[in-house]
Structures are given as C-alpha cells and as structure tokens.
Amino acid sequence: MKKKMLLLNTTVLLGLGGVLSTPTYASTIQDMESQKSQIQNQRQDVQSNIKAASDELTRLQAEQDQMKAQLERLTIAEEENNKKAQKTEADIKETSKQVEQLEKEIKLLQEKLEKRNDILKDRARSLQESGGNVEYLQVLLGSSSFGDFVDRALAVSTIVDADRGILKETKNMQDELKTKQADVKSKLASLEDMKAELDEMTVQLAAQKKQKDALAKELKDKEAKNEELKASLQAKDSSLANEQSTLEQNIKDQKAAEEAARKAARKAAEQAAKEAAKKAAEQAQKAAAAPAEKADSSSAKAEAPKASSNDVAPTSAPAPKASNVVTVGNRWIGNSAYVFGGGRSQSDISHGLFDCSSFVHWAYSQVGVNLGPLGSVSTETLKHAGTQVSSSQMQPGDLVFFDTYKKDGHVGIYVGGGKFIGAQSSTGVAIANMSSGYWKQKFNGRVVRI
C-alpha cells in the first residue's frame, strides 16, 4: 500500500512539475535580457562620448572666453596707441611749423644783419676818412663772415658805444634763435622716433589682432562641430533609451504572462493534487493508518558586525614659494597688451596694459624694489638705476637693453638661457629669445644689475 501511495504522489508531483515548467518563456526573456544588456552597453559608450563632448565644449568655452578678454585688451591698446600716434603726428606738424617760422625769422634777421653790416662798414670808412680808430677799421674789413665780424667787433675796446649796442643786440638775437632752432629740431627728431615706433607697433598689433580673430573663428567652428556631434550622440542615446524602454516593457509583459501561466498551472496542479489526495485518503482508510512525521526546521540569524571608521587627519599643503622678479610677470603672459606710455596708472596695470619700462618697474615693485617714480620711468631712467655689468656676466634678474627705434629703446628682464621677459609691442608681456633672430640683432650689450 505504501508503495502505491508513493507512486501516486510521485506521479502527481511530476505532473505538477511538467505544468509549471515554461521553457519557451524563459528562452524569450533571456534573449530580451541579453539584448537589453547590449543596448545598455551601447548607451554607456554613447553617454561617455556625450560627456567627452561636453567636457570639450567647456574647455573650448573657457579658451574662447580667455581669447575674447585678450581681444578686448588688444582693442583698447590699439585705440590708445592710435590716439598717441595721432597726437604725435599733430605735434610733429606743429613743431615743423615752428621750425619753418624760426627759419623765416632767422633769414629775415640775417638780411637785417647784412644791412647793418653795410651800415657799419660805411661808418668805418667814414671813420677812416676822418682819421678815426684804425683797430676798429681793421676788424670790420678783415672779418671772414658776418658772424665773425660781430664777434671780433665786440672785442674792440674803442668801438663806438652806439655801434656796440647794435652789435650786442644782434648777437643776442642770433644766439637765441639758434638755440630755439636747435631745441625745436631736437624735439622734432624725438617725435619722429616716437612716430616710427608707433607706426611699427600699430602694424604689429593689427597683425596680432588678425591672428587672434582667426583663432577665435577656429574655436567657434570647433565649438559648432562639437555641438553638432553632441546633438547627434544625444539623439542616438534617446533612440537607444526608447529601445531599452520598449524591451523593458516587453520583458515586463512577458514576465506577467509567465506569472499568469504559472498561477493557472499551480491552480490546476493543486486541484489535481486534491483529487489525488482524496482518492488516496479513501484507500488509506482501508489500510492501517501510518503516523505522519513532521520535521521542524530552524534557521539561525547572524548579527552583522558593526563597521568602525577612523577619522584621518587632513594634511596641509606646503606653502607656495615666493615669486621673484624673473617669474612674477608670468601671470601677464597671454593676458596683456602693449600700450606706448601705458602701465603708469592702477587702471592700466589692472587691465594688463604696459610698455617695456613700466612692466620692468611693476615687476621689481612686486619683490619690494622701488625703481623711482612710476610716472616718469623710462628706458633712460632704468639704464641708470643700477650697476653696469658685462654681458658675459649676465644673470637672471638683470636688465637688458635693445636698440629698436632709438638707442636703448627697449628694456626687459633676463630670465636665463638666452631669454628675457618684457612687454613687447607685438605680443604684450612675453618671454623672448635674445640669443638668435630679431632680439639678438637689437641687443646692444647694455646690462644693468639692480
């Protein structure tokens, strides 16, 4: 009887197991899960590329912002330099008019003095005929030029007082006009030197601005392409997301259908089991009752160990080394522009607008060295600010001078390795090579140690 009951129960369980098994559903879900995993991997790759594109956009935007700031500085510098060039041109024209006027006055004076010369000679002849001073007569007639005549006539001790007054007045006028003419010509030469440098600087700034504009355009084009790539990747990611969502819904629906089938199978199995049990019970009544053994199961619960954490004391970063005059100006590289006469106000300094001498003055002021009044600093004042040393003994921190538009027209700070840092008209503050090329040709050997 027991064997018959075991066989019946086994048959019921096998029947139930057959009903509950759903190999078709499991295979379909497994395929969809695999496809879902592939799509998720593709999305991860796409999202990684989107992040890379976003990072590149951020970098390009920062670079473009920096470029815009530099272009604004260059625009300000160009405007200031153009104003100074126009003022210099106006000063040159005004000074030229002054020189022309003085030359006219000198010519008129020379004509007036020639007439006086004739008058004085006539008076000398009259003096001779009346038996006058022979020494005075010899001076007048023996002069090699009118200027020589005036100088020699004034030396005659017996000259007539009236003639002496005329000669002294003429001499003073002549000396004064010559002095004025020399001063005006000197000023004109200086202004023309300034104009030459300003013209060169304007050309260089225009070329630099053109280069910066081209670079800004290139950055903008890169940004547009990167935006296009990012949009394409986002569209791909959206498409993959839709596919993933559809698959997830299909999997959900498939799992729901499978669960419904399992419930139906379980219900049918339970019903079959009840009927089989009923039949078995009826047969069991006829046989001896067998006690049912029950097994109790127990489970042990383990307490999760508590994790402990120890605080780690933060380490302080080492203090930065103090800047020196050789490196203190590096902050302006790529963030400055050259302005003739610039760097002599806090506003100019804040905007990175320097000329060569004001930059050197600023750099030394940052390390506690005063090179004289900022308003009057120039290459002329700086070349007398320290001790002249041989170029063979040149070392970092020394001032180096170059003959550009004039003698000692440019100054910078030697940084070593044949290079110097300074405010150049073509680049603003930059490190340049003085061991070859343009600056080697312009270096005049003057080195000043502060």
Side-chain angles (χ1 to χ4, degrees):
M1 178 58 69
K2 289 183 180 179
K3 290 182 179 180
K4 290 182 179 179
M5 287 293 295
L6 180 60
L7 179 61
L8 177 62
N9 288 335
T10 303
T11 303
V12 171
L13 290 175
L14 287 174
L16 180 61
V19 173
L20 292 177
S21 64
T22 54
T24 302
Y25 291 147
S27 177
T28 303
I29 292 175
Q30 184 178 3
D31 290 343
M32 286 192 291
E33 288 286 4
S34 176
Q35 190 177 355
K36 176 184 172 182
S37 177
Q38 292 176 3
I39 291 175
Q40 287 176 333
N41 290 336
Q42 291 179 34
R43 285 197 69 192
Q44 287 179 356
D45 292 340
V46 170
Q47 289 171 351
S48 176
N49 291 333
I50 290 174
K51 184 180 183 304
S54 297
D55 292 344
E56 178 66 8
L57 277 175
T58 301
R59 187 191 69 77
L60 288 173
Q61 187 60 54
E63 189 175 348
Q64 195 171 40
D65 290 343
Q66 184 179 4
M67 190 61 62
K68 286 178 181 177
Q70 179 65 1
L71 286 173
E72 289 176 2
R73 275 189 291 270
L74 288 172
T75 300
I76 294 172
E78 188 175 26
E79 290 174 354
E80 291 297 319
N81 289 325
N82 284 335
K83 288 178 184 178
K84 293 181 184 297
Q86 292 170 5
K87 184 179 183 302
T88 302
E89 289 174 353
D91 290 343
I92 289 174
K93 289 180 181 178
E94 179 61 29
T95 306
S96 298
K97 291 180 181 178
Q98 294 176 11
V99 171
E100 291 176 1
Q101 182 61 32
L102 282 174
E103 288 175 344
K104 290 178 181 179
E105 292 177 4
I106 290 172
K107 185 176 180 181
L108 291 174
L109 178 61
Q110 288 173 342
E111 292 175 355
K112 184 177 180 180
L113 292 177
E114 287 295 335
K115 291 179 181 179
R116 289 189 178 189
N117 184 26
D118 294 338
I119 293 172
L120 290 173
K121 285 182 179 180
D122 289 341
R123 294 182 66 175
R125 291 190 184 93
S126 297
L127 185 61
Q128 181 184 22
E129 292 172 358
S130 61
N133 191 318
V134 177
E135 182 184 7
Y136 182 38
L137 179 62
Q138 290 175 345
V139 168
L140 294 175
L141 299 179
S143 301
S144 60
S145 65
F146 183 63
D148 183 39
F149 157 68
V150 174
D151 292 336
R152 296 178 65 181
L154 286 171
V156 177
S157 59
T158 57
I159 193 170
V160 179
D161 289 340
D163 293 346
R164 183 181 295 277
I166 293 173
L167 289 169
K168 284 185 176 181
E169 180 184 353
T170 302
K171 176 67 173 174
N172 290 338
M173 289 174 62
Q174 190 178 38
D175 291 343
E176 181 181 0
L177 287 174
K178 285 182 178 179
T179 300
K180 286 183 178 180
Q181 187 180 36
D183 290 344
V184 172
K185 286 185 176 181
S186 175
K187 184 179 180 182
L188 179 60
S190 176
L191 288 171
E192 287 175 345
D193 286 341
M194 291 170 59
K195 177 64 167 56
E197 185 181 36
L198 286 169
D199 287 344
E200 179 183 1
M201 180 178 52
T202 301
V203 171
Q204 290 173 336
L205 284 173
Q208 186 180 33
K209 187 176 185 301
K210 184 178 180 181
Q211 179 184 5
K212 298 292 185 183
D213 288 341
L215 185 55
K217 183 179 183 302
E218 181 182 352
L219 286 171
K220 188 174 182 179
D221 292 342
K222 285 182 179 179
E223 185 178 13
K225 290 180 180 179
N226 211 50
E227 285 283 8
E228 183 180 353
L229 173 62
K230 183 179 177 182
S232 174
L233 289 170
Q234 287 174 334
K236 177 66 174 175
D237 182 64
S238 178
S239 175
L240 289 172
N242 290 334
E243 289 185 37
Q244 180 178 335
S245 178
T246 301
L247 274 174
E248 288 173 348
Q249 185 61 45
N250 290 341
I251 291 172
K252 183 178 179 181
D253 294 343
Q254 191 73 4
K255 286 183 176 179
E258 179 183 349
E259 183 62 25
R262 283 199 182 110
K263 286 181 179 179
R266 188 178 298 112
K267 187 176 181 180
E270 288 174 353
Q271 184 63 31
K274 284 180 181 179
E275 292 177 356
K278 185 178 180 181
K279 290 180 180 181
E282 290 175 352
Q283 292 175 359
Q285 288 177 359
K286 298 177 181 178
E293 297 181 356
K294 295 182 180 181
D296 295 330
S297 63
S298 62
S299 60
K301 294 182 181 179
E303 240 182 71
K306 293 184 179 180
S308 62
S309 61
N310 296 323
D311 293 335
V312 179
T315 57
S316 58
K321 296 177 68 176
S323 298
N324 56 43
V325 72
V326 174
T327 58
V328 72
N330 290 349
R331 57 172 289 195
W332 295 116
I333 296 176
N335 298 305
S336 60
Y338 184 94
V339 173
F340 191 88
R344 286 162 178 78
S345 68
Q346 188 55 50
S347 176
D348 279 0
I349 294 173
S350 298
H351 289 86
L353 305 178
F354 296 97
D355 65 9
C356 61
S357 52
S358 66
F359 170 75
V360 169
H361 188 284
W362 173 86
Y364 268 92
S365 71
Q366 301 305 296
V367 294
V369 179
N370 185 358
L371 295 181
L374 176 60
S376 59
V377 66
S378 67
T379 55
E380 287 297 314
T381 64
L382 290 177
K383 74 181 184 181
H384 299 297
T387 304
Q388 303 278 335
V389 298
S390 170
S391 59
S392 62
Q393 298 175 339
M394 187 164 49
Q395 61 186 22
D398 290 344
L399 304 188
V400 287
F401 290 80
F402 305 84
D403 293 343
T404 51
Y405 73 103
K406 67 175 184 178
K407 180 72 175 175
D408 298 317
H410 188 69
V411 63
I413 302 172
Y414 187 64
V415 299
K419 297 180 179 180
F420 75 98
I421 186 171
Q424 275 70 262
S425 60
S426 58
T427 60
V429 176
I431 294 176
N433 189 352
M434 58 183 288
S435 60
S436 64
Y438 176 82
W439 292 112
K440 180 181 180 180
Q441 296 174 1
K442 297 298 181 180
F443 179 53
N444 62 18
R446 186 188 298 280
V447 179
V448 174
R449 184 160 297 162
I450 303 301

